[in-house]
């Protein structure tokens, strides 16, 4: 299961959800679905701060998959996406996101003094 936390905060809905895409195991998916019964969690889904798909990235429309990739900051998740994806446009988006994480532009690096 893929869960997209579109918010800026880590959420705990049965499991820990970091901002961006989260891949859930079957056990975690069951905990997530059970936690959706809580009214506050239902509100997050209704307001589309949290969205989820039972299928993987390869089953999404390319535009939707690219949008999810662009909001994913976990390198392990991106590498898993790369292994299961075959569409060139989505693969290019994955590679670009991986590169931007590994080598951020100089003006976006926070320097401490």
């Amino acid at each position: 299961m893929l869960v997209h936390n579109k918010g800026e905060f880590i959420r705990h809905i049965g499991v820990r959800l970091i901002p961006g895409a989260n891949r859930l195991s079957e056990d975690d998916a069951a905990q997530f679905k059970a936690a959706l019964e809580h009214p506050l969690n239902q509100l997050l889904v209704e307001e589309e701060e949290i969205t989820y798909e039972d299928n993987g990235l390869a089953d999404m429309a390319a535009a939707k998959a690219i949008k999810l990739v662009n909001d994913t900051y976990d390198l392990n998740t991106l590498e898993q996406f790369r292994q299961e994806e075959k569409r060139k446009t989505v693969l290019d988006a994955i590679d670009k996101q991986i590169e931007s994480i590994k080598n951020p532009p100089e003006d976006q690096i926070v320097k401490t003094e």
Side-chain angles (χ1 to χ4, degrees), residues 18-19 21 71-81 97-98 101:
I18 63 170
D71 195 32
T72 301
Y73 300 97
D74 181 65
L75 288 172
N76 290 329
T77 300
L78 289 165
E79 291 294 344
Q80 289 175 346
F81 286 166
Q97 185 70 350
I98 289 171
I101 292 168

PDB file of all heavy atoms in Angstrom, residues 18-19 21 71-81 97-98 101:
ATOM      1  N   ILE A  18       5.770   9.707   7.293  1.00  0.00           N
ATOM      2  CA  ILE A  18       6.572  10.898   7.058  1.00  0.00           C
ATOM      3  C   ILE A  18       5.953  11.686   5.909  1.00  0.00           C
ATOM      4  O   ILE A  18       5.197  11.127   5.105  1.00  0.00           O
ATOM      5  CB  ILE A  18       8.049  10.541   6.757  1.00  0.00           C
ATOM      6  CG1 ILE A  18       8.152   9.718   5.482  1.00  0.00           C
ATOM      7  CG2 ILE A  18       8.685   9.847   7.942  1.00  0.00           C
ATOM      8  CD1 ILE A  18       9.568   9.512   4.982  1.00  0.00           C
ATOM      9  N   PRO A  19       6.248  12.976   5.797  1.00  0.00           N
ATOM     10  CA  PRO A  19       5.757  13.720   4.636  1.00  0.00           C
ATOM     11  C   PRO A  19       6.259  13.088   3.341  1.00  0.00           C
ATOM     12  O   PRO A  19       7.392  12.624   3.255  1.00  0.00           O
ATOM     13  CB  PRO A  19       6.354  15.117   4.839  1.00  0.00           C
ATOM     14  CG  PRO A  19       6.491  15.229   6.327  1.00  0.00           C
ATOM     15  CD  PRO A  19       6.916  13.845   6.762  1.00  0.00           C
ATOM     16  N   ALA A  21       5.724  10.146   0.172  1.00  0.00           N
ATOM     17  CA  ALA A  21       5.215   8.788  -0.016  1.00  0.00           C
ATOM     18  C   ALA A  21       5.718   7.852   1.068  1.00  0.00           C
ATOM     19  O   ALA A  21       6.857   7.949   1.512  1.00  0.00           O
ATOM     20  CB  ALA A  21       5.639   8.262  -1.384  1.00  0.00           C
ATOM     21  N   ASP A  71       7.281  14.347  -4.530  1.00  0.00           N
ATOM     22  CA  ASP A  71       7.021  14.644  -3.120  1.00  0.00           C
ATOM     23  C   ASP A  71       7.562  13.535  -2.218  1.00  0.00           C
ATOM     24  O   ASP A  71       7.145  13.398  -1.086  1.00  0.00           O
ATOM     25  CB  ASP A  71       5.523  14.844  -2.888  1.00  0.00           C
ATOM     26  CG  ASP A  71       5.225  15.500  -1.553  1.00  0.00           C
ATOM     27  OD1 ASP A  71       6.048  16.325  -1.088  1.00  0.00           O
ATOM     28  OD2 ASP A  71       4.172  15.186  -0.967  1.00  0.00           O
ATOM     29  N   THR A  72       8.484  12.727  -2.740  1.00  0.00           N
ATOM     30  CA  THR A  72       9.068  11.623  -1.979  1.00  0.00           C
ATOM     31  C   THR A  72      10.520  11.956  -1.671  1.00  0.00           C
ATOM     32  O   THR A  72      11.287  12.277  -2.568  1.00  0.00           O
ATOM     33  CB  THR A  72       8.973  10.304  -2.777  1.00  0.00           C
ATOM     34  OG1 THR A  72       7.601  10.036  -3.043  1.00  0.00           O
ATOM     35  CG2 THR A  72       9.571   9.146  -1.994  1.00  0.00           C
ATOM     36  N   TYR A  73      10.875  11.870  -0.389  1.00  0.00           N
ATOM     37  CA  TYR A  73      12.221  12.244   0.034  1.00  0.00           C
ATOM     38  C   TYR A  73      12.980  11.085   0.675  1.00  0.00           C
ATOM     39  O   TYR A  73      14.105  11.266   1.123  1.00  0.00           O
ATOM     40  CB  TYR A  73      12.147  13.436   1.002  1.00  0.00           C
ATOM     41  CG  TYR A  73      11.504  14.606   0.323  1.00  0.00           C
ATOM     42  CD1 TYR A  73      10.143  14.871   0.506  1.00  0.00           C
ATOM     43  CD2 TYR A  73      12.217  15.414  -0.543  1.00  0.00           C
ATOM     44  CE1 TYR A  73       9.536  15.933  -0.160  1.00  0.00           C
ATOM     45  CE2 TYR A  73      11.616  16.465  -1.200  1.00  0.00           C
ATOM     46  CZ  TYR A  73      10.278  16.722  -1.000  1.00  0.00           C
ATOM     47  OH  TYR A  73       9.674  17.760  -1.658  1.00  0.00           O
ATOM     48  N   ASP A  74      12.397   9.925   0.704  1.00  0.00           N
ATOM     49  CA  ASP A  74      13.055   8.748   1.257  1.00  0.00           C
ATOM     50  C   ASP A  74      13.744   7.988   0.120  1.00  0.00           C
ATOM     51  O   ASP A  74      13.078   7.500  -0.805  1.00  0.00           O
ATOM     52  CB  ASP A  74      12.028   7.856   1.954  1.00  0.00           C
ATOM     53  CG  ASP A  74      12.657   6.635   2.563  1.00  0.00           C
ATOM     54  OD1 ASP A  74      13.465   6.790   3.506  1.00  0.00           O
ATOM     55  OD2 ASP A  74      12.363   5.518   2.082  1.00  0.00           O
ATOM     56  N   LEU A  75      15.071   7.902   0.184  1.00  0.00           N
ATOM     57  CA  LEU A  75      15.832   7.264  -0.895  1.00  0.00           C
ATOM     58  C   LEU A  75      15.470   5.792  -1.061  1.00  0.00           C
ATOM     59  O   LEU A  75      15.414   5.304  -2.204  1.00  0.00           O
ATOM     60  CB  LEU A  75      17.333   7.427  -0.661  1.00  0.00           C
ATOM     61  CG  LEU A  75      17.870   8.844  -0.872  1.00  0.00           C
ATOM     62  CD1 LEU A  75      19.327   8.933  -0.436  1.00  0.00           C
ATOM     63  CD2 LEU A  75      17.722   9.268  -2.323  1.00  0.00           C
ATOM     64  N   ASN A  76      15.206   5.082   0.016  1.00  0.00           N
ATOM     65  CA  ASN A  76      14.826   3.668  -0.100  1.00  0.00           C
ATOM     66  C   ASN A  76      13.521   3.509  -0.867  1.00  0.00           C
ATOM     67  O   ASN A  76      13.388   2.618  -1.705  1.00  0.00           O
ATOM     68  CB  ASN A  76      14.720   3.020   1.284  1.00  0.00           C
ATOM     69  CG  ASN A  76      16.054   2.866   1.949  1.00  0.00           C
ATOM     70  OD1 ASN A  76      17.078   2.691   1.280  1.00  0.00           O
ATOM     71  ND2 ASN A  76      16.077   2.933   3.270  1.00  0.00           N
ATOM     72  N   THR A  77      12.566   4.362  -0.580  1.00  0.00           N
ATOM     73  CA  THR A  77      11.285   4.308  -1.284  1.00  0.00           C
ATOM     74  C   THR A  77      11.484   4.624  -2.764  1.00  0.00           C
ATOM     75  O   THR A  77      10.939   3.936  -3.634  1.00  0.00           O
ATOM     76  CB  THR A  77      10.276   5.290  -0.662  1.00  0.00           C
ATOM     77  OG1 THR A  77      10.074   4.923   0.703  1.00  0.00           O
ATOM     78  CG2 THR A  77       8.947   5.279  -1.393  1.00  0.00           C
ATOM     79  N   LEU A  78      12.292   5.640  -3.064  1.00  0.00           N
ATOM     80  CA  LEU A  78      12.556   5.983  -4.462  1.00  0.00           C
ATOM     81  C   LEU A  78      13.255   4.836  -5.193  1.00  0.00           C
ATOM     82  O   LEU A  78      12.930   4.548  -6.352  1.00  0.00           O
ATOM     83  CB  LEU A  78      13.388   7.266  -4.542  1.00  0.00           C
ATOM     84  CG  LEU A  78      12.644   8.535  -4.154  1.00  0.00           C
ATOM     85  CD1 LEU A  78      13.630   9.678  -3.918  1.00  0.00           C
ATOM     86  CD2 LEU A  78      11.619   8.897  -5.205  1.00  0.00           C
ATOM     87  N   GLU A  79      14.182   4.170  -4.532  1.00  0.00           N
ATOM     88  CA  GLU A  79      14.867   3.029  -5.154  1.00  0.00           C
ATOM     89  C   GLU A  79      13.888   1.887  -5.407  1.00  0.00           C
ATOM     90  O   GLU A  79      13.956   1.217  -6.449  1.00  0.00           O
ATOM     91  CB  GLU A  79      16.036   2.557  -4.287  1.00  0.00           C
ATOM     92  CG  GLU A  79      17.196   3.528  -4.228  1.00  0.00           C
ATOM     93  CD  GLU A  79      17.935   3.722  -5.552  1.00  0.00           C
ATOM     94  OE1 GLU A  79      17.774   2.893  -6.484  1.00  0.00           O
ATOM     95  OE2 GLU A  79      18.671   4.712  -5.650  1.00  0.00           O
ATOM     96  N   GLN A  80      12.958   1.664  -4.488  1.00  0.00           N
ATOM     97  CA  GLN A  80      11.941   0.635  -4.699  1.00  0.00           C
ATOM     98  C   GLN A  80      11.040   1.006  -5.867  1.00  0.00           C
ATOM     99  O   GLN A  80      10.684   0.148  -6.684  1.00  0.00           O
ATOM    100  CB  GLN A  80      11.114   0.432  -3.431  1.00  0.00           C
ATOM    101  CG  GLN A  80      11.878  -0.240  -2.322  1.00  0.00           C
ATOM    102  CD  GLN A  80      11.084  -0.314  -1.028  1.00  0.00           C
ATOM    103  OE1 GLN A  80      10.061   0.353  -0.862  1.00  0.00           O
ATOM    104  NE2 GLN A  80      11.560  -1.121  -0.104  1.00  0.00           N
ATOM    105  N   PHE A  81      10.664   2.284  -5.945  1.00  0.00           N
ATOM    106  CA  PHE A  81       9.872   2.743  -7.089  1.00  0.00           C
ATOM    107  C   PHE A  81      10.618   2.457  -8.386  1.00  0.00           C
ATOM    108  O   PHE A  81      10.044   2.008  -9.373  1.00  0.00           O
ATOM    109  CB  PHE A  81       9.601   4.247  -7.001  1.00  0.00           C
ATOM    110  CG  PHE A  81       8.576   4.665  -5.988  1.00  0.00           C
ATOM    111  CD1 PHE A  81       8.475   6.002  -5.624  1.00  0.00           C
ATOM    112  CD2 PHE A  81       7.700   3.769  -5.399  1.00  0.00           C
ATOM    113  CE1 PHE A  81       7.526   6.432  -4.708  1.00  0.00           C
ATOM    114  CE2 PHE A  81       6.751   4.185  -4.468  1.00  0.00           C
ATOM    115  CZ  PHE A  81       6.674   5.515  -4.131  1.00  0.00           C
ATOM    116  N   GLN A  97      14.701  13.096  -8.833  1.00  0.00           N
ATOM    117  CA  GLN A  97      14.448  13.269  -7.398  1.00  0.00           C
ATOM    118  C   GLN A  97      15.600  12.687  -6.581  1.00  0.00           C
ATOM    119  O   GLN A  97      16.046  13.306  -5.612  1.00  0.00           O
ATOM    120  CB  GLN A  97      13.110  12.626  -7.012  1.00  0.00           C
ATOM    121  CG  GLN A  97      12.708  12.854  -5.583  1.00  0.00           C
ATOM    122  CD  GLN A  97      12.309  14.283  -5.261  1.00  0.00           C
ATOM    123  OE1 GLN A  97      12.491  15.215  -6.051  1.00  0.00           O
ATOM    124  NE2 GLN A  97      11.770  14.478  -4.089  1.00  0.00           N
ATOM    125  N   ILE A  98      16.088  11.531  -6.964  1.00  0.00           N
ATOM    126  CA  ILE A  98      17.222  10.926  -6.265  1.00  0.00           C
ATOM    127  C   ILE A  98      18.432  11.849  -6.346  1.00  0.00           C
ATOM    128  O   ILE A  98      19.111  12.093  -5.350  1.00  0.00           O
ATOM    129  CB  ILE A  98      17.540   9.529  -6.832  1.00  0.00           C
ATOM    130  CG1 ILE A  98      16.445   8.537  -6.437  1.00  0.00           C
ATOM    131  CG2 ILE A  98      18.913   9.036  -6.343  1.00  0.00           C
ATOM    132  CD1 ILE A  98      16.542   7.184  -7.123  1.00  0.00           C
ATOM    133  N   ILE A 101      18.186  14.888  -4.084  1.00  0.00           N
ATOM    134  CA  ILE A 101      18.370  14.574  -2.670  1.00  0.00           C
ATOM    135  C   ILE A 101      19.844  14.350  -2.369  1.00  0.00           C
ATOM    136  O   ILE A 101      20.378  14.854  -1.381  1.00  0.00           O
ATOM    137  CB  ILE A 101      17.529  13.342  -2.265  1.00  0.00           C
ATOM    138  CG1 ILE A 101      16.040  13.688  -2.331  1.00  0.00           C
ATOM    139  CG2 ILE A 101      17.908  12.850  -0.873  1.00  0.00           C
ATOM    140  CD1 ILE A 101      15.123  12.490  -2.225  1.00  0.00           C
TER     141      ILE A 101
END
